[in-house]
Amino acid sequence: MGLFSKEKEIGFDEKRKKENLKILKKSDRLKEAIAYTYLIYGDLMKEKYKKPRRIYQTIREYAIICVNECGVQPSLIYPFVKRVEDIIYGGKEPTEQEFQNTLNTFSKLYSEIMGKEFNLSG
C-alpha cells in the first residue's frame, strides 16, 4: 500500500474506543474511564453532526448547544453531563457503582445518537 492508501483511520473507531474504555476500567482508573465516556460523546457529536466542542466551552455549554443545534434530548444529555461533572470536579474517586451508573446513562445517550446499543462486552 502506498503513502496515500485508504487504510488510514478516518472517523469514529467504536471498537478502539470500547477497548480503551475497558482498559481504563480494568486498571481501576474509573475517574479517567468516566472522563473518557465524555470524550467518546464529543467524538460522536463531531462525527455525526459536525459539531465539535470548542476549547472555550464548558461541558454544560456544549450540552446546551447539542440540544439546541443537534436535537439531542435534554433528558438524556443533562443527566450524563451532571454525572461527568460530579466525578471530574467532585474531588473524590468514583466507586464501581458510580462508573456503572455513568456508563448506563452514557449508553442511553449513545443509543439515541447512533441508533444502536453501546455495550462494552461486544
Side-chain angles (χ1 to χ4, degrees):
M1 296 285 154
L3 180 64
F4 299 104
S5 73
K6 294 196 176 205
E7 286 189 7
K8 287 173 77 177
E9 181 183 313
I10 297 172
F12 185 79
D13 188 347
E14 179 181 343
K15 184 177 178 182
R16 186 170 173 186
K17 291 184 185 312
K18 285 181 180 182
E19 281 304 312
N20 290 343
L21 190 56
K22 286 180 195 178
I23 290 167
L24 288 169
K25 183 184 179 310
K26 200 176 283 188
S27 61
D28 288 325
R29 295 164 57 194
L30 297 179
K31 190 175 211 171
E32 288 149 306
I34 289 169
Y36 192 68
T37 61
Y38 184 78
L39 293 177
I40 295 171
Y41 163 72
D43 288 348
L44 286 172
M45 296 306 294
K46 182 180 175 184
E47 189 66 27
K48 183 164 183 178
Y49 298 105
K50 307 296 184 236
K51 186 58 73 180
R53 179 175 166 225
R54 304 293 181 211
I55 193 133
Y56 57 84
Q57 292 172 325
T58 66
I59 291 172
R60 190 162 299 272
E61 287 171 337
Y62 184 58
I64 291 167
I65 287 169
C66 292
V67 167
N68 291 336
E69 296 180 19
C70 304
V72 176
Q73 289 184 26
S75 62
L76 295 175
I77 186 60
Y78 294 131
F80 173 64
V81 165
K82 171 104 173 77
R83 288 187 184 280
V84 170
E85 286 178 327
D86 288 350
I87 298 301
I88 291 175
Y89 304 119
K92 65 178 182 124
E93 287 301 312
T95 64
E96 174 68 29
Q97 186 60 50
E98 287 169 318
F99 171 76
Q100 287 303 325
N101 290 343
T102 304
L103 187 62
N104 290 341
T105 306
F106 171 71
S107 295
K108 292 174 188 172
L109 181 59
Y110 182 90
S111 181
E112 161 78 10
I113 295 168
M114 297 299 285
K116 62 181 180 176
E117 297 296 316
F118 184 84
N119 186 344
L120 276 187
S121 61

